[in-house]
Every structure is written in structure tokens, then in C-alpha cells.
Amino acid sequence: MIYVIAMTTHYESLFIGGKWVPPTSAATIDVISASTEEQIGSVPRGMAADADAAVSAARAAFDDVQGWSRWSPQQRAEAMNRFADELEGRAEETVRRVSGQNGMPVSVGQQTEAVYPATLLRFYANVALTQATEETRTSLVAGTTVVRREPIGVVAAIVPWNFPQSLTFFKVAPALAAGCTVVLKPSSETVLDAFLVAEAAAAAGLPDGVLNIVTGSGREVGMRLVSSPGVDKVAFTGSTDAGRTIAEECGRLLRPVTLELGGKSAAILLDDVDLAANMKSFYGSMLLNQGQTCFISTRILAPRNRYSEVVEAFTALAKGLPVGDPFDPRTMIGPLATSAQRDSVEGYIAQGIAEGGRVTAGGKRPKCLDRGWYVEPTIFADVDNAATIAREEIFGPVLAVIPYEDEEDAIAIANDSDYGLGGTVWTSDQDHGLAVARRIQTGS
């Protein structure tokens, strides 16, 4: 089923119905390292028929009158905690595979991909234990009403490549806790870590069909899951374009869907911000994982009276970040996940320059690295909020520093966006910062 040669990992089967089953096609997904541009593994390329088989297995597991959906919260919680234990035992290998595929620095993977899966499983296992299954409420008309929480059914979970394990379990963990069964479709760029999840699920003794994993390339498998009559709920994280297509299909089917799409979050630096004290936090909030993080703040709003100082601080930050091998624990900026992603980021940099932006750091490929899909962390000054690089999600290590006149202007600029995923406020006065944050029309 699996063999490893010189750190190269190959799978020949898909995980469906609790078993390793042969795919319906001989096609494969070749996994290419973001840092070496060499093949580091392969997995079967799932087809529509494989997606159908996975949905059927999940459906059978959910409909089983003695199955997962009928288990007590205590039984599900115990199984989820065993699952968490198995994932923790594979944490080091998970980080190795994620970093090898998408170029995530291991220092980031050790704090996210190695930790969040088990943490989320345990958190939602506890929610299952503590949340009431039934409530009795006073009726508005007469008597009482019994309100029950029931699992929705089969969940299609479609995840991206940037934080593949964390985003997998943001979907899988609550679904399992509720009593749902799941068909997981990983990104074709990060498939090797998904097979570790399958191994952990099997070792933990999850019932057959509760968690199924089917790969795919392009949108064939994902859209097959979205439109399948056996699926009751879709959970998707990815691009806005793909999310719009999924939303349209789910709307036509009247199927519940949860979407987490793009971001162009603003960081408001108030005039009392301590720049030197926050440099490490700026990295984590604005350049984490090479900027391939949906919620990070890539529009830096700086008070005009401190604009030059802010530009200088971020220029120094970008120039000081170690760029290189993602397996080196000192690396803070690794390669972008794919060649196409690097091309896209470089296109945005060129457009930013063409529209009058001034590059104060980065803007090119590192001269010292002759392979891998690297782009230097890049800072743009002399940018306003109408610029393309301030309007569109770049998904790379590119920050635009935008001046504002006063606090009202900063809030207006932050809210002037097609996105609303996240945002940050930086100040030495927490109460003041919270007051500003409450006026920002955004999420987390």
C-alpha cells in the first residue's frame, strides 16, 4: 500500500469505507517539492467514480442505525480522542510532508500543522460532551417545545494547500463531534499529509465510512462531491472564484454550505504604536507562511505623520527575514507553494510598480537560491487604497503601506474593500484599539 524510498512517498490506494481500495483509474498525482522542484511522491488521482464510492460509504455509515450518528456523545468523544492521539504520534511526519510539499517553514508547521489537528479534535470532543442534545423551551403559542440538535448527515470537506492539516480539522473535527460522516478532498498540491490522516483514523478505530479521503486534480472531484445527492453539507476553504461556483451549485440544490474564501485584511497602525516591540508579531500577522494565509493583514495603514518611520521599519523587517530551505528551523520565508503561484505573485509585483508603487524591499527572486519557487518578502510604499495590490488578494509575501490622515480616514480605508475576512489594530492603548476594531466591518 505504501513504500518510502529516499524520503519519497508513494501511495497506490484510496481510503474509502475504512479500507484501502484501488482507484478506478491508473492516473496519478505527482507531488513536486516547492523548494527543490523535484518529485517527492505520488498518489492515485481520484475520479468522479471514486468520489461517488466515498459518498456511498459515508452515507451507509451515517444511515447505519447503530452507527456513528447514533453513538452517544461519550462514545464519539472517546473515538475522537484516540484519533487525536494517533495524529500526535504522526506530528513530526506531518510537518515533514507539509513542508516538503508546499514549502511551509518547519518552524511554522510545528506550531500549526503539528498541533491544531489533535487540539481541534479534543476541543470538539469536549463540546460534544458538554452541549445539550435536547432543550425544552416555552412555546410562543402554548405548552413547550423540544429542540433537538441532530447531525446534518454526510459532509463534503474540501480543503486548500496553504495550511492543509489545520484547515482539514476545522471541518472534520466539528463534523465528527456532531455525529456526521465525512468525505475529505485534499488539495492536489498537498495530498501526502492527507494519507497520514487516513492511517491515523484507521489506527484509532473510527468506524468504516466515517472518514473517507478521495483525491482529485482540477475541479472534477470537488464539484462531484458538491453536487452529489448523497451529500448533505459542503464545507470549503479556497479561492473566491471556486467558492462562488460552489455557492451557486449549493444554492441551486438548496444545500447548506460554509465558505471561507479570500482576504485583503487591513492592519491599522495607530499613532501610538510601538513599532520595535511588535516586529515579531508583525511577521506572524502579515507574512506568515510566505503570505499564503487568508486572514493576514497585507494592507498596512500608517499615520501620515509616521509614514516614513513605518515604511523604514517594515523595510528592515522584510530585509531581515531569513529566506531559504523550509526544513531549516531558522527559515522564516520559504518558497511559494507552486510555480503558478510564484508567477501570479510576480505579476502583482510588476503591476504594483507599473501603477507607481515604490519597492523598498524585495520584489525579486533571491539570488542565492537557484531552485525552488521563491520570492523575496516585498514592501511597497507610495501606494493608495485604489491600487491593484491594495484591492486584490496576492497570496504571497507582499505588503502595501498606505498612509492615512486621521483615525476616521484609517477606518474608512480599512472598510473600503471587497473582502471582510480579518483585520488587526496596533496600539499601546488596548481600550482605544478595541474601540477602533469595533468599527471595522470584518470578521476575526
Side-chain angles (χ1 to χ4, degrees):
M1 184 268 297
I2 174 176
Y3 56 96
V4 180
I5 301 175
M7 303 298 281
T8 301
T9 307
H10 300 269
Y11 287 86
E12 298 175 344
S13 306
L14 297 172
F15 188 70
I16 298 174
K19 299 176 176 60
W20 294 98
V21 300
T24 58
S25 165
T28 62
I29 296 173
D30 295 332
V31 182
I32 306 300
S33 166
S35 56
T36 68
E37 303 181 43
E38 297 174 350
Q39 183 174 344
I40 57 173
S42 67
V43 303
R45 177 183 171 184
M47 300 294 177
D50 299 303
D52 293 344
V55 171
S56 294
R59 182 86 263 158
F62 183 80
D63 291 341
D64 183 349
V65 295
Q66 294 183 321
W68 184 257
S69 63
R70 308 297 179 93
W71 281 19
S72 69
Q74 179 69 37
Q75 288 175 299
R76 289 200 297 270
E78 289 174 356
M80 290 172 67
N81 282 315
R82 292 196 304 270
F83 192 9
D85 291 341
E86 293 293 338
L87 288 167
E88 282 183 332
R90 294 165 172 79
E92 182 177 349
E93 177 64 9
T94 295
V95 173
R96 185 187 75 81
R97 292 192 186 187
V98 171
S99 296
Q101 293 169 110
N102 70 5
M104 176 185 290
V106 292
S107 59
V108 175
Q110 287 162 355
Q111 298 177 56
T112 57
E113 306 300 84
V115 176
Y116 287 169
T119 299
L120 288 162
L121 282 169
R122 292 200 171 97
F123 174 84
Y124 282 103
N126 187 62
V127 171
L129 290 173
T130 57
Q131 188 176 75
T133 302
E134 287 190 356
E135 294 180 29
T136 301
R137 301 178 185 174
T138 302
S139 172
L140 292 174
V141 180
T144 58
T145 299
V146 175
V147 179
R148 285 185 55 80
R149 292 185 173 89
E150 299 278 3
I152 197 169
V154 175
V155 176
I158 304 172
V159 300
W161 46 256
N162 57 330
F163 288 88
Q165 285 301 294
S166 299
L167 292 168
T168 288
F169 283 91
F170 273 119
K171 296 168 176 53
V172 169
L176 295 182
C180 299
T181 57
V182 179
V183 178
L184 171 66
K185 191 271 177 188
S187 169
S188 58
E189 282 77 23
T190 46
V191 287
L192 297 178
D193 52 295
F195 282 75
L196 279 179
V197 173
E199 293 171 9
L206 288 190
D208 293 352
V210 168
L211 177 62
N212 308 272
I213 300 176
V214 60
T215 60
S217 185
R219 294 187 177 182
E220 177 189 5
V221 168
M223 289 308 297
R224 186 74 165 203
L225 294 174
V226 168
S227 61
S228 171
V231 168
D232 301 291
K233 164 71 187 275
V234 175
F236 171 79
T237 300
S239 73
T240 301
D241 287 344
R244 184 175 288 111
T245 301
I246 290 170
E248 289 171 350
E249 180 67 8
C250 288
R252 186 184 67 80
L253 295 169
L254 300 179
R255 177 164 297 162
V257 58
T258 302
L259 304 172
E260 184 189 16
L261 308 177
K264 193 66 185 178
S265 302
I268 298 180
L269 277 57
L270 297 179
D271 58 11
D272 65 345
V273 64
D274 185 338
L275 295 172
N278 284 295
M279 298 310 287
K280 182 177 180 180
S281 295
F282 288 152
Y283 160 76
S285 297
M286 302 166 189
L287 289 165
L288 186 70
N289 199 26
Q290 295 77 261
Q292 298 170 133
T293 308
C294 56
F295 60 80
I296 57 173
S297 300
T298 54
R299 290 184 295 150
I300 314 303
L301 310 190
R304 191 171 292 279
N305 64 340
R306 297 186 64 184
Y307 185 74
S308 295
E309 180 188 0
V310 170
V311 169
E312 290 175 4
F314 277 90
T315 299
L317 170 65
K319 290 181 176 180
L321 293 174
V323 180
D325 182 357
F327 289 103
D328 185 337
R330 297 168 296 181
T331 294
M332 298 179 76
I333 300 291
L336 297 176
T338 66
S339 175
Q341 186 61 24
R342 181 177 64 179
D343 290 345
S344 175
V345 170
E346 290 179 328
Y348 276 111
I349 291 172
Q351 191 160 7
I353 295 170
E355 293 180 6
R358 175 169 58 94
V359 174
T360 65
K364 300 177 181 178
R365 301 179 185 182
K367 293 181 179 179
C368 60
L369 298 168
D370 59 2
R371 61 179 182 170
W373 299 308
Y374 290 90
V375 172
E376 296 173 332
T378 301
I379 307 298
F380 272 94
D382 302 337
V383 174
D384 65 30
N385 203 50
T388 300
I389 60 171
R391 305 301 300 180
E392 299 182 9
E393 183 179 43
I394 299 173
F395 224 57
V398 181
L399 305 180
V401 187
I402 302 167
Y404 67 83
E405 300 300 333
D406 55 28
E407 198 168 282
E408 293 299 315
D409 187 36
I411 292 169
I413 293 171
N415 289 337
D416 180 17
S417 175
D418 294 331
Y419 298 93
L421 186 59
T424 54
V425 178
W426 303 81
T427 176
S428 298
D429 183 340
Q430 180 169 309
D431 291 338
H432 183 200
L434 285 170
V436 172
R438 290 187 179 103
R439 298 181 62 191
I440 306 304
Q441 298 164 2
T442 192
S444 58

